[in-house]
Amino acid sequence: MGKIVIFSGAGLSAESGIPTFRDAGGLWEGYRIEDVATPFGWIRNKQLVLDFYEERFLQMQKCKPNAAHLAIADLSSYFDVICITQNIDTLLEQAGVKEVWHLHGRIDYHKCEWHYSIGPIDADWQCDYRAATRSPTQIGDLCPKCNRQLRPDVVWFGEAVDMRTDRLYEIVSQVDAFIGVGTSATVYPAANLLRFFGDVKEKYFIDPNPAYDVLNGFTVIEGTAAQKVPELVAVLKAKYQ
Ligand code: OAD
């Protein structure tokens, strides 16, 4: 068995206590997405955005990897596992997974509000400052390179994701198995990954309410991540070890 790609969404972390998006009926922990997860929300009210991400930061600090994260870490000690996640928590890293791509950024990093990855709304300056942070970003935490306000290093609606397509093309031909877990596969371009890895012979999808319309050719496993990921890991280890 060569490479296994595991593409995950909020459902992977639901049993660790981090609510999913669609279950929240369009709100994110009681906030309107447009107020706290868009560039215009940032321009309108930076304090509200930073308050929101401070709550997410402190909430995620209290959460622990669940059986699914731990099973993925176990799998990665037997096979070359690449995790591509839409989640901003770091539960896969905490479980011991070595290679995790955060398509939508991560809560424990911040970056200059004019970072080149977001294409500043109305600035001709592009900064490259981003760094890990051990505490939530506050108003007055300024970029050491250009003195602009720092913001959470997460992808907001309308911003580019770090799809690393060159790296994706590099691995897609060597992938022997693809596992999707806990995503409604509704947010693009991340959701394109299901199609991108469509030719992989062995592909599974774990979700209590799978989006069947985008899963042709997949072995769909109905159930939660913490229940079903460990079972699938045991099957793959027995089959290929
Ligand atoms: P969603 O909330 O859209 O979908 C969560 C998926 O997880 C659904 O398919 C649920 O059925 C499933 N689910 C719920 N509980 C589960 C469990 N215990 N085990 C396994 N699956 C479970 O979350 P995402 O698909 O991750 O974008 O959403 C993708 C993106 O939309 C997010 O990254 C965010 C959001 O807007 C940005 O922040 C840019």
Side-chain angles (χ1 to χ4, degrees):
M1 167 70 84
K3 288 187 191 308
I4 303 176
V5 168
I6 302 180
F7 173 48
S8 58
L12 175 66
S13 300
E15 286 150 291
S16 295
I18 301 174
T20 65
F21 297 90
R22 265 75 197 164
D23 297 346
L27 286 180
W28 193 353
E29 296 287 359
Y31 291 79
R32 291 185 334 144
I33 300 265
E34 52 273 36
D35 291 338
V36 295
T38 64
F40 296 105
W42 176 249
I43 291 172
R44 267 198 308 275
N45 188 340
K46 296 182 184 181
Q47 186 61 63
L48 179 69
V49 174
L50 292 178
D51 290 349
F52 171 73
Y53 281 99
E54 176 168 13
E55 285 175 28
R56 303 289 62 74
F57 191 104
L58 299 175
Q59 173 193 49
M60 289 179 190
Q61 270 188 332
K62 293 189 209 117
C63 297
K64 294 276 168 277
N66 63 50
H69 299 104
L70 296 170
I72 292 170
D74 176 42
L75 189 70
S76 68
S77 57
Y78 292 90
F79 304 110
D80 182 3
V81 171
I82 297 169
C83 285
I84 303 177
T85 187
Q86 299 167 96
N87 300 339
I88 60 174
D89 65 65
T90 57
L91 294 172
L92 282 165
E93 290 88 346
Q94 290 173 48
V97 179
K98 298 282 173 292
E99 182 163 1
V100 184
W101 301 6
H102 288 270
L103 291 184
H104 292 163
R106 44 189 290 178
I107 193 69
D108 60 344
Y109 271 67
H110 56 197
K111 64 186 174 188
C112 179
E113 64 177 330
W114 277 5
H115 191 272
Y116 64 83
S117 63
I118 55 181
I121 294 165
D122 57 2
D124 52 8
W125 166 266
Q126 301 235 323
C127 183
D128 64 358
Y129 181 77
R130 76 170 14 128
T133 175
R134 300 165 71 85
S135 58
T137 306
Q138 307 294 344
I139 291 287
D141 291 344
L142 303 181
C143 172
K145 290 198 169 181
C146 67
N147 225 25
R148 299 286 313 188
Q149 174 64 44
L150 292 178
R151 54 160 276 191
D153 186 5
V154 296
V155 175
W156 288 334
F157 291 88
E159 291 182 337
V161 300
D162 172 10
M163 272 301 251
R164 290 167 57 186
T165 34
D166 52 333
R167 178 91 173 90
L168 279 176
Y169 281 112
E170 188 189 311
I171 63 173
V172 67
S173 53
Q174 305 148 4
V175 174
D176 289 307
F178 176 90
I179 303 171
V181 52
T183 179
S184 58
T186 48
V187 171
Y188 285 82
N192 276 328
L193 285 174
L194 294 180
R195 242 189 297 289
F196 190 85
F197 288 97
D199 292 343
V200 173
K201 292 284 159 291
E202 202 161 349
K203 43 187 187 287
Y204 305 87
F205 199 91
I206 296 173
D207 195 301
N209 308 296
Y212 282 101
D213 52 325
V214 295
L215 293 173
N216 57 327
F218 279 77
T219 302
V220 179
I221 304 169
E222 282 200 20
T224 73
Q227 287 165 352
K228 297 300 181 186
V229 171
E231 288 174 13
L232 178 57
V233 163
V235 165
L236 291 174
K237 280 168 64 177
K239 199 168 166 185
Y240 293 105
Q241 271 302 299

